[in-house]
Short mmCIF file of all heavy atoms in Angstrom, two decimals:
data_model
loop_
_atom_site.label_atom_id
_atom_site.label_comp_id
_atom_site.label_asym_id
_atom_site.label_seq_id
_atom_site.Cartn_x
_atom_site.Cartn_y
_atom_site.Cartn_z
N LEU A 140 -18.40 14.43 -30.98
CA LEU A 140 -19.22 15.61 -30.68
C LEU A 140 -18.97 16.71 -31.71
O LEU A 140 -17.84 16.87 -32.19
CB LEU A 140 -18.88 16.15 -29.29
CG LEU A 140 -19.29 15.28 -28.11
CD1 LEU A 140 -18.72 15.86 -26.83
CD2 LEU A 140 -20.81 15.18 -28.02
N PRO A 141 -20.02 17.51 -32.04
CA PRO A 141 -19.80 18.65 -32.93
C PRO A 141 -18.69 19.55 -32.38
O PRO A 141 -18.57 19.71 -31.16
CB PRO A 141 -21.14 19.38 -32.91
CG PRO A 141 -22.14 18.38 -32.43
CD PRO A 141 -21.40 17.40 -31.58
N ALA A 142 -17.89 20.11 -33.25
CA ALA A 142 -16.71 20.88 -32.84
C ALA A 142 -17.07 22.05 -31.91
O ALA A 142 -16.27 22.44 -31.07
CB ALA A 142 -15.99 21.40 -34.07
N ASP A 143 -18.28 22.61 -32.08
CA ASP A 143 -18.60 23.78 -31.26
C ASP A 143 -19.32 23.41 -29.96
O ASP A 143 -19.88 24.28 -29.28
CB ASP A 143 -19.45 24.78 -32.08
CG ASP A 143 -20.75 24.15 -32.56
OD1 ASP A 143 -20.92 22.92 -32.40
OD2 ASP A 143 -21.60 24.90 -33.08
N THR A 144 -19.29 22.14 -29.57
CA THR A 144 -19.90 21.74 -28.29
C THR A 144 -19.17 22.45 -27.14
O THR A 144 -17.93 22.50 -27.13
CB THR A 144 -19.76 20.20 -28.10
OG1 THR A 144 -20.29 19.56 -29.27
CG2 THR A 144 -20.50 19.73 -26.87
N HIS A 145 -19.93 22.99 -26.20
CA HIS A 145 -19.30 23.75 -25.11
C HIS A 145 -18.27 22.87 -24.37
O HIS A 145 -18.52 21.69 -24.12
CB HIS A 145 -20.35 24.26 -24.12
CG HIS A 145 -19.79 25.27 -23.17
ND1 HIS A 145 -19.06 24.91 -22.04
CD2 HIS A 145 -19.79 26.63 -23.19
CE1 HIS A 145 -18.67 26.01 -21.40
NE2 HIS A 145 -19.10 27.07 -22.08
N PRO A 146 -17.11 23.44 -24.03
CA PRO A 146 -16.08 22.65 -23.34
C PRO A 146 -16.57 21.94 -22.08
O PRO A 146 -16.12 20.83 -21.79
CB PRO A 146 -15.01 23.69 -23.00
CG PRO A 146 -15.17 24.75 -24.03
CD PRO A 146 -16.63 24.79 -24.37
N MET A 147 -17.50 22.54 -21.35
CA MET A 147 -17.99 21.85 -20.14
C MET A 147 -18.83 20.62 -20.50
O MET A 147 -18.83 19.63 -19.76
CB MET A 147 -18.79 22.81 -19.25
CG MET A 147 -17.92 23.69 -18.38
SD MET A 147 -16.76 22.77 -17.33
CE MET A 147 -17.80 22.32 -15.95
N THR A 148 -19.54 20.68 -21.61
CA THR A 148 -20.29 19.50 -22.07
C THR A 148 -19.30 18.39 -22.41
O THR A 148 -19.47 17.22 -22.04
CB THR A 148 -21.12 19.85 -23.33
OG1 THR A 148 -21.76 21.10 -23.12
CG2 THR A 148 -22.13 18.77 -23.65
N GLN A 149 -18.24 18.77 -23.12
CA GLN A 149 -17.23 17.79 -23.51
C GLN A 149 -16.54 17.20 -22.27
O GLN A 149 -16.28 16.01 -22.19
CB GLN A 149 -16.18 18.45 -24.42
CG GLN A 149 -16.78 19.05 -25.67
CD GLN A 149 -15.74 19.23 -26.78
OE1 GLN A 149 -14.85 18.42 -26.93
NE2 GLN A 149 -15.88 20.28 -27.56
N PHE A 150 -16.25 18.08 -21.31
CA PHE A 150 -15.54 17.66 -20.10
C PHE A 150 -16.38 16.64 -19.33
O PHE A 150 -15.91 15.57 -18.94
CB PHE A 150 -15.25 18.90 -19.26
CG PHE A 150 -14.30 18.69 -18.11
CD1 PHE A 150 -13.06 18.09 -18.31
CD2 PHE A 150 -14.63 19.12 -16.83
CE1 PHE A 150 -12.17 17.92 -17.25
CE2 PHE A 150 -13.75 18.96 -15.77
CZ PHE A 150 -12.52 18.35 -15.97
N SER A 151 -17.65 17.00 -19.13
CA SER A 151 -18.55 16.14 -18.37
C SER A 151 -18.69 14.78 -19.07
O SER A 151 -18.61 13.72 -18.43
CB SER A 151 -19.90 16.84 -18.25
OG SER A 151 -20.84 15.98 -17.69
N MET A 152 -18.87 14.84 -20.39
CA MET A 152 -19.06 13.60 -21.14
C MET A 152 -17.79 12.74 -21.11
O MET A 152 -17.85 11.52 -20.97
CB MET A 152 -19.44 13.95 -22.57
CG MET A 152 -20.14 12.83 -23.27
SD MET A 152 -19.68 12.85 -24.98
CE MET A 152 -17.93 12.52 -24.88
N ALA A 153 -16.64 13.39 -21.21
CA ALA A 153 -15.37 12.64 -21.18
C ALA A 153 -15.20 11.94 -19.84
O ALA A 153 -14.74 10.79 -19.77
CB ALA A 153 -14.20 13.59 -21.44
N ILE A 154 -15.60 12.61 -18.77
CA ILE A 154 -15.46 12.01 -17.43
C ILE A 154 -16.36 10.77 -17.32
O ILE A 154 -15.93 9.70 -16.89
CB ILE A 154 -15.80 13.05 -16.33
CG1 ILE A 154 -14.79 14.18 -16.34
CG2 ILE A 154 -15.84 12.39 -14.95
CD1 ILE A 154 -15.29 15.47 -15.71
N VAL A 155 -17.61 10.92 -17.77
CA VAL A 155 -18.52 9.77 -17.70
C VAL A 155 -18.00 8.64 -18.59
O VAL A 155 -18.09 7.46 -18.22
CB VAL A 155 -19.96 10.17 -18.11
CG1 VAL A 155 -20.86 8.96 -18.15
CG2 VAL A 155 -20.52 11.19 -17.15
N SER A 156 -17.43 9.00 -19.73
CA SER A 156 -16.94 7.94 -20.63
C SER A 156 -15.82 7.12 -19.99
O SER A 156 -15.61 5.97 -20.33
CB SER A 156 -16.46 8.54 -21.97
OG SER A 156 -15.16 9.05 -21.83
N MET A 157 -15.09 7.73 -19.04
CA MET A 157 -14.00 6.99 -18.37
C MET A 157 -14.52 6.10 -17.24
O MET A 157 -13.75 5.37 -16.62
CB MET A 157 -12.96 7.98 -17.82
CG MET A 157 -12.20 8.72 -18.92
SD MET A 157 -10.78 9.62 -18.28
CE MET A 157 -11.56 11.02 -17.50
N GLN A 158 -15.82 6.19 -16.98
CA GLN A 158 -16.39 5.40 -15.87
C GLN A 158 -16.17 3.90 -16.09
O GLN A 158 -16.11 3.12 -15.13
CB GLN A 158 -17.89 5.74 -15.73
CG GLN A 158 -18.57 5.16 -14.51
CD GLN A 158 -19.02 3.72 -14.72
OE1 GLN A 158 -19.25 3.30 -15.85
NE2 GLN A 158 -19.14 2.99 -13.62
N SER A 159 -16.01 3.53 -17.34
CA SER A 159 -15.74 2.11 -17.64
C SER A 159 -14.47 1.63 -16.93
O SER A 159 -14.25 0.43 -16.78
CB SER A 159 -15.58 1.93 -19.15
OG SER A 159 -14.56 2.80 -19.62
#
Side-chain angles (χ1 to χ4, degrees):
L140 291 173
D143 60 352
T144 307
H145 192 280
M147 279 305 278
T148 315
Q149 302 201 36
F150 191 51
S151 172
M152 201 214 64
I154 295 158
V155 176
S156 81
M157 292 191 285
Q158 188 276 336
S159 56

